[in-house]
């Protein structure tokens, strides 16, 4: 899924040492020297081996660090970002932080803001613990504008995925989708119509993921149900149903970048206006999260269980039957370590192995993958009804406003410096 988005976006590795990474997929596994295939389809060490590391595309299944098991969590009345750690610092200690970030998350009026400053690549938050069946919900207001996409998803390391995505010109529509191992199927998407503007008003979006059924609900009303029994593929002789431990991702990302594939831009409602009302008033586009809840379900009764600390893959089928629950450790000693040797310390500054996946890919959902692929066939991957909206005014009152521009100039300036540095690296 993410691999196709990379084809239409700049490849940037942001770390103490930034280098180009080798591409990887299930037909082209990573070399032993850079054994971990990130969710963006690039080989490396360190953070490449943590959340999103694809064991089927890596040098070996155990190149990826074991996945921290599910923990029930509730996030309300955000006071600060102390429970969010940058992906350049996180080493896998899920008990020390709840989220890993790329981009610029902010807290304002008790809400968490995902921001996308001018010419940036947005913000991605990824949970530090995995969910192997469970329920997630988020009370949020989406962003708005052509090319601007807000997302709330489950994503597993083998690219099983369950989505909510919100296109910024369709402010009364929640797009739902699911993927099995990243396989594109344009019939998997369905839309749910909300009863009011998703930018101006909070709505609660829920995904209830069970071994035999998935339901998507908005404000307590079920909008879509998928049964595992309906996903049987007689050709591959398997259920193509999301079934492996997944991270929770919250994101705001620029599907409408002019450099993206035509299909992606079309799906997103057009190119981004970097001189929009929100950019002028606040310095960024933003999505507002008031609450996030994660509820874990029991593992399948037939699960291979020898511990309680982490999930691992035991074969290359990528099915739920290949997942085991163990007591394996999941913390690296440094960003030079891998699942093959988790105790490796910091190497010299001359290291030429990428160790933090590029932040330029923050938040790309599977819809980007489908839209990019659809571009080559001249069709759109979205199942949208075709409705679109534009010109929605900024809401009034503190509960509907982002921070004043003067309140966030330091954060935006710092982010601008990062973007400038990444541009220099790319050159």
């Amino acid at each position: 899924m993410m691999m196709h988005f990379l084809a239409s976006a700049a490849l940037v590795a942001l770390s103490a040492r930034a280098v180009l990474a080798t591409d990887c997929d299930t037909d082209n596994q990573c070399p032993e020297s850079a054994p971990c295939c990130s969710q963006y389809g690039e080989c490396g060490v360190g953070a490449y081996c943590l959340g999103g590391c694809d064991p089927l595309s890596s040098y070996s299944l155990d190149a990826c660090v074991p996945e921290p098991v599910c923990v029930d969590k509730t996030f309300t009345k955000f006071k600060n970002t102390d429970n969010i750690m940058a992906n350049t610092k996180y080493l896998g200690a899920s008990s020390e932080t709840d989220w890993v970030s790329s981009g610029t998350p902010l807290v304002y009026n008790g809400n968490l803001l995902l921001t996308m400053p001018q010419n940036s690549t947005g913000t991605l938050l990824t949970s530090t613990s995995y969910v192997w069946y469970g329920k997630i919900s988020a009370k949020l207001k989406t962003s708005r504008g052509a090319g601007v996409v807000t997302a709330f998803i489950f994503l597993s390391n083998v690219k099983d995925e369950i989505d909510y995505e919100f296109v910024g010109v369709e402010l009364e529509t929640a797009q739902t989708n699911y993927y099995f191992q990243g396989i594109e199927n344009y019939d998997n998407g369905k839309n749910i119509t909300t009863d009011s503007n998703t930018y101006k008003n909070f709505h609660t979006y829920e995904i209830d993921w069970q071994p035999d059924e998935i339901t998507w609900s908005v404000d307590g009303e079920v909008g879509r149900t998928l049964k595992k029994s309906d996903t049987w593929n007689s050709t591959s002789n398997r259920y193509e149903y999301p079934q492996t431990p997944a991270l929770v991702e919250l994101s705001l990302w620029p599907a409408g970048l002019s450099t993206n594939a035509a299909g992606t831009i079309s799906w997103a409602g057009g190119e981004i206006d970097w001189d929009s009302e929100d950019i002028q008033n606040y310095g960024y586009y933003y999505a507002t999260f008031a609450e996030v809840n994660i509820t874990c379900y029991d593992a399948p009764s037939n699960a291979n269980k020898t511990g309680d600390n982490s999930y691992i893959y035991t074969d290359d089928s990528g099915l739920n039957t290949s997942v085991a629950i163990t007591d394996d450790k999941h913390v690296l000693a440094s960003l030079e370590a891998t699942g093959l040797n988790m105790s490796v310390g910091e190497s010299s500054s001359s290291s030429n192995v990428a160790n933090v996946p590029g932040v330029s890919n923050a938040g790309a959902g599977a819809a980007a993958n489908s839209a990019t692929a659809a571009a080559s066939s001249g069709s759109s991957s979205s199942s949208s009804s075709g409705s679109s909206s534009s010109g929605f005014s900024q809401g009034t009152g503190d509960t509907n406003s982002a921070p004043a521009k003067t309140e966030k100039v330091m954060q935006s300036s710092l982010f601008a410096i990062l973007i400038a540095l990444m541009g220099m690296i790319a050159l």
Side-chain angles (χ1 to χ4, degrees):
M1 170 200 66
M2 299 291 183
M3 293 179 286
H4 290 272
F5 180 74
L6 280 177
S8 62
L11 300 179
V12 179
L14 179 61
S15 64
R17 294 166 300 280
V19 296
L20 292 178
T22 302
D23 291 347
C24 48
D25 54 42
T26 54
D27 295 321
N28 299 280
Q29 282 84 11
C30 293
E32 188 173 8
S33 59
C36 300
C37 185
S38 78
Q39 68 183 39
Y40 308 122
E42 297 175 298
C43 299
V45 300
Y48 284 74
C49 307
L50 295 170
C53 178
D54 183 352
L56 309 185
S57 302
S58 296
Y59 174 74
S60 60
L61 295 175
D62 57 351
C64 296
V65 173
E67 307 168 357
V69 297
C70 191
V71 178
D72 290 345
K73 294 183 179 181
T74 298
F75 307 95
T76 59
K77 297 180 180 178
F78 295 92
K79 295 181 180 180
N80 51 54
T81 57
D82 290 350
N83 66 335
I84 301 173
M85 184 178 292
N87 62 351
T88 53
K89 298 180 179 180
Y90 181 66
L91 294 175
S94 57
S95 62
E96 296 179 3
T97 189
D98 296 312
W99 302 96
V100 178
S101 70
S102 61
T104 310
L106 302 174
V107 168
Y108 182 73
N109 276 359
N111 297 318
L112 177 68
L113 303 186
L114 305 186
T115 68
M116 187 162 63
Q118 184 172 4
N119 297 320
S120 77
T121 54
T123 297
L124 168 67
L125 292 189
T126 303
S127 65
T128 54
S129 297
Y130 287 71
V131 180
W132 196 14
Y133 303 114
K135 181 188 296 183
I136 59 172
S137 65
K139 183 178 180 181
L140 66 97
K141 294 179 184 178
T142 69
S143 193
R144 63 174 176 177
V148 179
V149 176
T150 308
F152 170 53
I153 74 174
F154 275 125
L155 180 64
S156 85
N157 283 9
V158 298
K159 298 180 177 62
D160 286 347
E161 183 173 348
I162 310 169
D163 288 0
Y164 271 113
E165 290 194 292
F166 308 88
V167 174
V169 294
E170 298 177 5
L171 296 178
E172 292 186 356
T173 299
Q175 296 189 12
T176 71
N177 216 328
Y178 74 94
Y179 288 77
F180 168 77
Q181 295 188 7
I183 297 172
E184 297 156 1
N185 185 330
Y186 302 145
D187 295 326
N188 287 356
K190 294 185 183 298
N191 291 348
I192 299 174
T193 301
T194 62
D195 62 6
S196 63
N197 185 292
T198 62
Y199 170 77
K200 293 182 178 180
N201 302 291
F202 281 112
H203 294 282
T204 299
Y205 304 92
E206 179 184 277
I207 298 172
D208 189 350
W209 177 33
Q210 302 187 44
D212 296 315
E213 182 179 87
I214 301 169
T215 58
W216 290 259
S217 301
V218 178
D219 297 329
E221 297 290 330
V222 174
R224 180 185 182 185
T225 299
L226 172 72
K227 295 185 180 298
K228 180 180 180 179
S229 58
D230 293 332
T231 67
W232 177 255
N233 186 316
S234 57
T235 301
S236 60
N237 198 35
R238 63 190 180 186
Y239 290 102
E240 298 195 336
Y241 178 85
Q243 58 193 266
T244 52
L247 294 167
V248 179
E249 293 192 352
L250 320 176
S251 63
L252 180 64
W253 63 282
L257 287 179
S258 60
T259 52
N260 282 350
T264 302
I265 296 172
S266 176
W267 164 75
E271 291 190 15
I272 291 180
D273 178 6
W274 291 116
D275 193 34
S276 68
E277 179 181 350
D278 288 343
I279 294 293
Q280 290 185 28
N281 290 341
Y282 312 115
Y284 46 68
Y285 288 101
Y286 63 97
T288 307
F289 286 77
E291 297 178 9
V292 179
N293 293 282
I294 301 173
T295 302
C296 309
Y297 292 159
D298 292 338
S301 58
N302 61 345
N304 179 6
K305 185 174 181 180
T306 60
D308 299 294
N309 191 53
S310 58
Y311 307 116
I312 65 169
Y313 288 85
T314 60
D315 66 52
D316 61 4
S317 69
L319 302 176
N320 61 352
T321 53
S322 70
V323 178
I325 307 174
T326 73
D327 280 329
D328 291 356
K329 296 180 180 180
H330 50 70
V331 182
L332 296 174
S334 75
L335 284 177
E336 301 304 324
T338 72
L340 301 177
N341 188 344
M342 297 175 64
S343 62
V344 172
E346 288 287 347
S347 65
S348 69
S349 60
S350 62
S351 172
N352 63 353
V353 181
N355 58 19
V356 179
V359 299
S360 66
N361 314 303
N369 176 37
S370 299
T372 302
S376 62
S377 64
S379 62
S380 172
S381 66
S382 173
S383 60
S384 169
S385 61
S387 62
S388 63
S389 304
S390 61
F392 287 102
S393 61
Q394 174 71 32
T396 58
D398 288 343
T399 61
N400 210 35
S401 301
K405 199 167 186 177
T406 54
E407 295 181 41
K408 54 77 205 157
V409 66
M410 290 184 65
Q411 294 97 323
S412 292
S413 296
L414 177 58
F415 196 83
I417 292 171
L418 286 174
I419 297 301
L421 288 173
M422 289 191 292
M424 294 173 64
I425 292 169
L427 294 174

